[in-house]
């Protein structure tokens, strides 16, 4: 096998590794909120350790990326792919951390339904899931249009966060008995917003992967 063919094969393996990591994060997202819906406290406690697997995946992919960079002489397009993969797995790992953080909050909140604090939570959870799915698919499939669509959804998540915050303020004005719960609910909304921010980053790294440009600045 020629060096170029071998390099292309290794790039495909790298893409599959990123896909596996993205799938793991997305499955974890679904599992987290399904566990909350079922009020399964024991599973929720175990979920706190979910991010350890994601961390292992991140380190494995980073090792492969560095190996590719040191053993091969990639052209600009290939270099953008490997460089972007290094950034994407960091964002995916952060998403995994935030899922574990929310699992801790849900346990502390006694598995209370989030919609009891703000009806907007349902929309925010669904939208955050969609933007994460879009961005991950965009990067793995090298679909710049889908990446741009993921980036454009960020404003909707920000609007949801502001609505949740306003609802919690109103709830506290009427009754301060569950102040701790309101604070925890606000933290959940913040973690959802952060996951969406990381998804936007992934969408932007897909754009960089194709163009060498991120945030209107040419890097490569």
């Amino acid at each position: 096998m020629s060096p170029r063919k071998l390099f292309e094969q290794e790039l495909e393996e790298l893409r599959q590794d990123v896909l596996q990591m993205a799938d793991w994060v997305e499955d974890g997202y679904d599992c987290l909120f399904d566990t909350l819906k079922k009020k399964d406290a024991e599973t929720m406690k175990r979920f706190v350790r979910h991010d350890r697997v994601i961390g292992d995946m991140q380190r494995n992919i980073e090792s492969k990326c560095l190996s590719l960079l040191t053993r091969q002489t990639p052209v600009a397009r290939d270099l953008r792919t490997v460089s972007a993969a290094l950034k994407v797995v960091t964002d995916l790992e952060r998403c995994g951390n935030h899922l574990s953080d929310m699992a801790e909050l849900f346990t502390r909140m006694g598995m209370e339904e989030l919609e009891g604090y703000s009806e907007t939570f349902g929309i925010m959870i669904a939208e955050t899931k969609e933007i994460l799915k879009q961005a991950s698919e965009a990067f793995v499939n090298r679909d710049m249009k889908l990446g741009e669509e993921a980036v454009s959804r960020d404003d909707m998540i920000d609007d949801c966060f502001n609505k949740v915050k306003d609802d919690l303020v109103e709830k506290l004005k009427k009754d301060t008995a569950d102040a701790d719960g309101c604070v925890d609910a606000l933290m959940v909304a913040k973690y959802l917003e952060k996951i969406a921010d990381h998804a936007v980053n992934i969408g932007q790294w897909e754009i960089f992967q194709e163009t060498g440009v991120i945030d209107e600045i040419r890097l490569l």
Side-chain angles (χ1 to χ4, degrees):
M1 184 180 295
S2 69
R4 179 62 199 178
K5 286 292 184 183
L6 178 60
F7 184 60
E8 290 175 352
Q9 179 179 311
E10 291 177 321
L11 281 178
E12 175 59 23
E13 291 173 358
L14 176 63
R15 188 184 73 86
Q16 291 298 325
D17 287 343
V18 175
L19 174 61
Q20 182 183 30
M21 185 175 179
D23 285 345
W24 186 269
V25 173
E26 291 175 33
D27 289 346
Y29 189 96
D30 290 338
C31 178
L32 176 68
F33 288 101
D34 186 55
T35 301
L36 178 63
K37 184 177 181 179
K38 293 177 180 178
K39 297 185 181 297
D40 185 346
E42 288 304 312
T43 299
M44 188 65 76
K45 289 177 182 177
R46 293 196 297 271
F47 191 92
V48 174
R49 298 187 294 272
H50 175 82
D51 64 335
R52 295 179 184 177
V53 176
I54 296 173
D56 290 341
M57 290 180 173
Q58 178 193 15
R59 286 185 286 274
N60 177 59
I61 293 172
E62 287 174 339
S63 177
K64 286 187 176 182
C65 287
L66 294 175
S67 177
L68 282 170
L69 291 174
T70 55
R71 289 188 298 102
Q72 304 287 350
T73 308
V75 298
R77 177 180 170 87
D78 300 331
L79 186 56
R80 291 198 299 265
T81 295
V82 177
S83 300
L86 281 168
K87 294 291 187 178
V88 166
V89 296
T90 298
D91 282 304
L92 288 172
E93 192 269 341
R94 294 289 186 273
C95 290
N97 287 345
H98 297 328
L99 293 177
S100 292
D101 291 335
M102 284 191 286
E104 290 186 18
L105 286 172
F106 294 152
T107 299
R108 191 164 70 201
M109 294 168 70
M111 310 295 284
E112 286 290 327
E113 293 183 5
L114 293 171
E115 284 79 359
Y117 291 95
S118 171
E119 293 182 357
T120 305
F121 265 117
I123 299 171
M124 192 174 188
I125 291 167
E127 286 295 326
T128 301
K129 175 184 175 180
E130 186 60 26
I131 189 175
L132 180 60
K133 178 180 175 61
Q134 271 193 335
S136 298
E137 287 183 359
F139 183 81
V140 171
N141 297 324
R142 302 197 69 135
D143 187 335
M144 191 168 76
K145 182 179 179 181
L146 192 61
E148 291 171 341
E149 290 177 6
V151 171
S152 70
R153 299 176 76 102
D154 189 43
D155 288 342
M156 182 177 293
I157 301 297
D158 290 340
D159 291 342
C160 286
F161 175 76
N162 289 330
K163 183 63 170 64
V164 169
K165 183 172 62 176
D166 291 343
D167 289 345
L168 290 171
V169 169
E170 289 301 314
K171 184 176 178 66
L172 283 171
K173 286 180 179 178
K174 296 175 182 177
D175 182 12
T176 60
D178 191 21
D180 289 343
C182 287
V183 171
D184 287 341
L186 182 61
M187 287 298 300
V188 170
K190 191 62 182 177
Y191 285 131
L192 289 170
E193 183 189 41
K194 287 182 177 180
I195 289 174
D197 286 342
H198 288 300
V200 167
N201 290 346
I202 294 170
Q204 290 175 330
W205 285 116
E206 159 50 21
I207 296 169
F208 166 81
Q209 184 175 213
E210 308 306 327
T211 66
V213 174
I214 189 165
D215 289 334
E216 301 182 354
I217 298 174
R218 177 167 292 281
L219 299 182
L220 184 62

